[in-house]
Amino acid sequence: MKQLNLRDVSLYVEQNIGNFHQKRIQSLDRLKLSQVLKRKNPYLFKAKNVLTAEQIIKSLVDAHISSNEETIFGDWLEGLAIFINNKTYDGRKSGITGIDLEFDNCGIRNIVTIKSGPNWGNSSQIAKMIADFKTAKKTLRTSNSQLNIVAVNGCCYGKDSKPDKGDYFKYCGQRFWEFISGNNQLFTEIIEPIGHNAKEKNDHFVESYAQMINKFTKEFSNNFCKDNGEIDWEKLVRLNSAI
């Protein structure tokens, strides 16, 4: 294992954090009002006595942002984890389906699937991960039948008090960052670098967000409000649910 230089982490973040912010804005730019309206329950809006176009639009856009940002940032953190592991254990992005990272330590080949947080999947998704681990082990042992392989589900934040899951280990938060770096304080040391130019980048995003709210509110008012300004619920439900 090689000692991690935190300056390398800071430089990586400076050079790559812009990708995360850019993808946040791109996800807004690609949004279509008709698509988000079809994804949400119009009856819920009515039951909550939502009366204005802007209330509906903000609810739709905020839900999209919350879900999408978790995915975008999870992908970004995966890249950071692989970079750090490469610096400390010469780890590499895996070419095996379902595996994100491979590295050797103390005679063990670690195969790692990286997720953002601990509550990432249902039972069928976890079953698929286990199947991917088994397939990966068979693939790796084709060239070396004696290879000692350990499967790990790594989660960038959160906790799991019982990491041994039988078929694999689940390392979350501090355990995960120590596992890939050898540094048991890395989970706190990376928080400052990740905030590089955060205000500047977020200000740009807020501008795009405000424009999207205004644009969608205008479009919604034109298409789903009556002449007196009242929401046309029948028309909205038909768009959402009619055959």
Side-chain angles (χ1 to χ4, degrees):
M1 186 192 88
K2 292 175 286 188
Q3 190 73 24
L4 180 66
N5 185 338
L6 288 176
R7 181 56 186 158
D8 290 338
V9 176
S10 295
L11 285 172
Y12 177 90
V13 172
E14 288 175 20
Q15 293 167 1
N16 291 278
I17 194 65
N19 295 337
F20 162 67
H21 293 289
Q22 186 60 38
K23 286 182 179 180
R24 292 170 75 207
I25 293 172
Q26 288 173 351
S27 75
L28 280 182
D29 292 341
R30 288 194 294 264
L31 269 184
K32 303 295 182 185
L33 179 61
S34 59
Q35 293 174 345
V36 291
L37 284 174
K38 290 175 182 177
R39 291 188 210 133
K40 290 298 177 181
N41 186 347
Y43 305 108
L44 177 61
F45 289 129
K46 184 64 173 175
K48 292 170 64 178
N49 196 35
V50 174
L51 299 176
T52 69
E54 185 176 358
Q55 283 178 285
I56 290 178
I57 296 306
K58 277 185 63 65
S59 177
L60 293 170
V61 173
D62 288 352
H64 168 83
I65 289 172
S66 177
S67 172
N68 207 51
E69 280 186 342
E70 187 76 15
T71 300
I72 293 172
F73 195 63
D75 291 343
W76 189 89
L77 276 178
E78 176 189 320
L80 175 63
I82 293 171
F83 169 82
I84 288 171
N85 185 256
N86 176 259
K87 290 292 184 182
T88 52
Y89 291 106
D90 294 321
R92 58 210 170 273
K93 174 74 176 173
S94 178
I96 302 174
T97 301
I99 307 301
D100 298 314
L101 171 66
E102 288 182 50
F103 71 98
D104 297 323
N105 183 24
C106 299
I108 296 172
R109 172 69 52 83
N110 295 285
I111 54 174
V112 188
T113 292
I114 302 173
K115 303 296 182 182
S116 182
N119 304 312
W120 58 268
N122 56 35
S123 58
S124 62
Q125 290 170 313
I126 292 171
K128 183 182 183 305
M129 179 185 69
I130 293 172
D132 287 341
F133 281 147
K134 290 179 179 178
T135 300
K137 288 179 180 180
K138 289 180 182 178
T139 300
L140 290 168
R141 286 180 177 138
T142 299
S143 57
N144 184 354
S145 61
Q146 302 303 312
L147 194 61
N148 186 6
I149 305 171
V150 172
V152 174
N153 171 205
C155 302
C156 297
Y157 69 86
K159 299 179 181 181
D160 191 303
S161 59
K162 297 179 180 179
D164 189 346
K165 305 300 181 185
D167 295 304
Y168 65 98
F169 289 90
K170 185 174 183 178
Y171 297 145
C172 300
Q174 182 179 10
R175 273 198 181 102
F176 169 66
W177 293 104
E178 180 179 6
F179 168 66
I180 64 167
S181 70
N183 179 351
N184 66 4
Q185 293 305 307
L186 183 64
F187 77 114
T188 60
E189 292 171 348
I190 60 174
I191 195 72
E192 283 302 320
I194 284 175
H196 178 73
N197 284 348
K199 185 182 185 304
E200 172 193 331
K201 302 290 186 182
N202 200 59
D203 285 348
H204 188 196
F205 176 79
V206 169
E207 289 179 11
S208 297
Y209 170 82
Q211 291 169 7
M212 186 60 64
I213 294 296
N214 291 337
K215 173 186 171 185
F216 277 1
T217 299
K218 181 180 179 182
E219 185 179 345
F220 185 95
S221 297
N222 290 339
N223 293 322
F224 298 101
C225 287
K226 300 176 183 178
D227 290 340
N228 65 356
E230 180 186 356
I231 293 172
D232 190 334
W233 290 102
E234 180 180 345
K235 190 172 183 181
L236 183 59
V237 171
R238 287 189 178 279
L239 170 76
N240 179 276
S241 303
I243 297 174

